Amino acid sequence: MHTSPARICVAGAGAIGCTLAARLAASGQQVKVLARGATLAAIRENGILLSDLDGEHRVRVEASDDAAELGRQDLVFLCTKAPALAGLLPRIAPLLGPETMVVPVVNGVPWWYFHGEPGRFAGQHIAAVDPNGVLTRTLDLRHVLGCVVFITAHCPAPAVSQAQNPHLMIFGELDNRMSPRLEHLRALVAAAGIEARASGRIRDPLWTKIIANLSSNPLSVVTGATLEQLYGQAELRELASAALHETLLVAAAYGARIDIDPRGFLEQGAGMGAVRTSMLQDYDKGNPLELAAIGDAVLELAGRLNLPMPVTRNLIALARFRGSQAHPTRSTT
């Protein structure tokens, strides 16, 4: 196993990527960032500034829009939006050695979901997130470890992240082994001041995050509401609760064991405060919405088992319409 400091690349410098890069660099790891545009310029000029519950962290890191300049890495975090993965994966090839770990830090149902799964679902493919199998062909899944991230962050300016809730990341091998590299990854992230857990059933917390996303993100685009409003105001809470219960049924049908008390879940969401979901932030910027991974993939999985999701389906349709009306702007992450 690699000795410390590890060579780490964070590919994608949005809110989550900047949060992760700043915490890892501040802990003494050798962090490089694959970025572009205004974000790349800001990192080169001023570094990354993170404001979180521990205070402010300003770190200087090497950054480039060319992976070949950054060289081979021990660990690569993919911190891009799900729609951008097809364009990102070919670019990271120069970062990968035989033992490089690749950790996709993305929302929704991941393209690797059925890889390593036993039983009747083994080897199935999710068209909504990998329609032509491009992702599966581009990156050898032996490199990949699953990740579920519970970090609420936003970027008020390029290379500036604000994250005022506790950080939690859960990692797991795709075949559910408790491997040495999994523990190495967990310990490395924990040493950066992020609560980090290793799971022998990574799809369980993944579904918890999917439920959180699907009960809040599309509805936030339709209404413009914050988490506090979505889960706290009676009319919106009813819709969020319906989406939550519909998604819980799908998760259970695919064998997930989810320890969620729906009422407590809604109360916890309301307690997050005036947080704008990542999808609402994308809508505000005119960026593409992550509806395929967060929404369409779950509808696809539900459809295979004839599970109806009427409320969720309608919320996704409304959010997609709203997103189609947004004025596109150039992404800077």
Side-chain angles (χ1 to χ4, degrees):
M1 191 56 65
H2 303 295
T3 57
S4 192
R7 297 170 297 172
I8 301 172
C9 179
V10 175
I16 300 299
C18 283
T19 299
L20 193 52
R23 297 292 323 201
L24 289 166
S27 73
Q29 300 299 335
Q30 182 181 322
V31 178
K32 300 182 180 182
V33 176
L34 185 65
R36 63 188 182 192
T39 301
L40 175 59
I43 294 173
R44 286 175 167 171
E45 183 174 353
N46 300 312
I48 295 173
L49 176 62
L50 167 65
S51 175
D52 66 7
L53 294 178
D54 291 333
E56 288 199 349
H57 319 264
R58 185 178 291 277
V59 300
R60 293 282 182 173
V61 297
E62 181 181 345
S64 177
D65 58 2
D66 182 357
E69 292 183 1
L70 302 179
R72 283 192 173 183
Q73 305 293 310
D74 301 319
L75 173 59
V76 178
F77 289 100
L78 305 181
C79 297
T80 188
K81 299 291 186 180
L85 280 173
L88 176 64
L89 290 189
R91 295 174 56 208
I92 69 168
L95 304 174
L96 306 183
E99 297 183 21
T100 302
M101 293 183 285
V102 178
V103 181
V105 186
V106 294
N107 282 326
V109 181
W111 84 97
W112 52 257
Y113 185 87
F114 288 115
H115 182 79
E117 277 282 84
R120 66 189 178 114
F121 301 122
Q124 290 195 22
H125 176 74
I126 304 175
V129 289
D130 193 11
N132 299 309
V134 172
L135 303 183
T136 303
R137 291 195 302 271
T138 302
L139 178 62
D140 189 335
L141 288 173
R142 288 178 296 181
H143 288 289
V144 176
L145 290 93
C147 171
V148 186
V149 59
F150 294 93
I151 296 175
T152 55
H154 74 283
C155 281
V160 176
S161 180
Q162 296 179 351
Q164 296 303 319
N165 284 298
H167 310 317
L168 167 64
M169 300 183 77
I170 305 172
F171 305 101
E173 292 280 4
L174 305 193
D175 61 3
N176 295 324
R177 289 179 300 118
M178 299 299 288
S179 67
R181 70 172 186 173
L182 173 59
E183 172 53 26
H184 178 71
L185 170 63
R186 188 211 62 77
L188 187 151
V189 174
I194 296 171
E195 182 181 354
R197 303 174 189 169
S199 173
R201 291 179 55 88
I202 188 61
R203 291 160 185 82
D204 292 351
L206 176 64
W207 273 107
T208 300
K209 179 64 182 294
I210 291 169
I211 289 167
N213 280 329
L214 201 45
S215 63
S216 63
N217 278 263
L219 184 57
S220 73
V221 172
V222 176
T223 62
T226 64
L227 291 181
E228 186 176 46
Q229 295 167 324
L230 291 169
Y231 293 122
Q233 294 187 7
E235 299 87 348
L236 299 182
R237 184 173 63 242
E238 184 175 346
L239 290 169
S241 179
L244 182 157
H245 283 90
E246 289 179 357
T247 311
L248 265 175
L249 286 176
V250 180
Y254 281 91
R257 303 171 188 166
I258 302 179
D259 184 18
I260 284 182
D261 165 33
R263 176 174 291 185
F265 184 90
L266 296 170
E267 291 175 352
Q268 183 179 10
M272 297 292 282
V275 172
R276 298 173 75 80
T277 70
S278 60
M279 189 176 289
L280 181 55
Q281 293 179 51
D282 282 336
Y283 172 79
D284 290 340
K285 298 173 184 177
N287 291 338
L289 306 183
E290 290 184 286
L291 287 168
I294 288 175
D296 298 341
V298 178
L299 294 178
E300 179 181 333
L301 293 176
R304 294 182 189 184
L305 301 179
N306 297 315
L307 294 173
M309 301 185 74
V311 173
T312 304
R313 185 178 298 277
N314 288 336
L315 289 174
I316 292 169
L318 290 170
R320 176 164 283 117
F321 175 77
R322 288 277 286 167
S324 71
Q325 304 303 301
H327 298 293
T329 59
R330 181 176 298 175
S331 173
T332 58
T333 58

